[in-house]
Amino acid sequence: MTRPLLDVADPCLFNEGMPADWEQLAHHVIRRRIQLGYPTRQAFLTVTRLKARTLGDIETARKTGYHAATLNALEHDLQWAAGSIAAILDGGEPRIAASTPPAEQAARATDDDLPDDPILRLIGANLPEDRKKALVRQLLDEQQRFAQRRADELLREAYGHHQATPFGGGETPTGTGR
């Protein structure tokens, strides 16, 4: 059984009894994902080994503890140096991995260089931090609800073109007929 990198309880403590800043981690992950050219979580999922739920939890600071393998994979996929996540949680900044091409390191985006992403607009707004965090969470929740509704619509359309029901011929999901 693997042990989590951070064994935390509520309230989350990291290392020397200082509060871990999971919301700062979420901010840095979203920013770096966008810098790397993945404007949406879904786009980033095409190149990461993380599961959608895990990435969502990290980007919304919904959870406060992950296995070392998960955090290592995230650092790798974001092209951060080892230990960057621990540095963020300890109030510091991530470092770009040495293996990242120099041109990419030099092109670390400033706010003006980033795509017009609604989340980054909210993060950069001149509002109190707690209000910005609430707005970002609200936007992420709305994006998730929209994506779920759209997926349902697409599935209904797909099933409508191929068969009357998702299971065809009046079968139940177990195939028992009723």
Side-chain angles (χ1 to χ4, degrees), residues 60 62 136-146:
T60 59
R62 199 175 341 222
V136 168
R137 282 194 180 112
Q138 180 182 349
L139 180 60
L140 291 170
D141 289 343
E142 288 173 8
Q143 288 176 335
Q144 182 66 29
R145 282 192 301 274
F146 173 80

Side-chain angles (χ1 to χ4, degrees), residues 7 96 147:
D7 190 15
I96 303 298

Side-chain angles (χ1 to χ4, degrees), residues 23 30 33 41 52-53 55-63 118-119 122 132-150:
E23 291 184 357
I30 292 167
R33 168 178 53 79
R41 217 180 280 159
R53 173 74 185 250
L55 183 58
D57 287 347
I58 291 168
E59 287 194 354
T60 59
R62 199 175 341 222
K63 282 179 56 182
I119 292 172
L122 288 173
K132 286 195 282 189
K133 291 173 185 177
L135 291 172
V136 168
R137 282 194 180 112
Q138 180 182 349
L139 180 60
L140 291 170
D141 289 343
E142 288 173 8
Q143 288 176 335
Q144 182 66 29
R145 282 192 301 274
F146 173 80
Q148 288 173 346
R149 281 194 307 273
R150 183 64 179 135

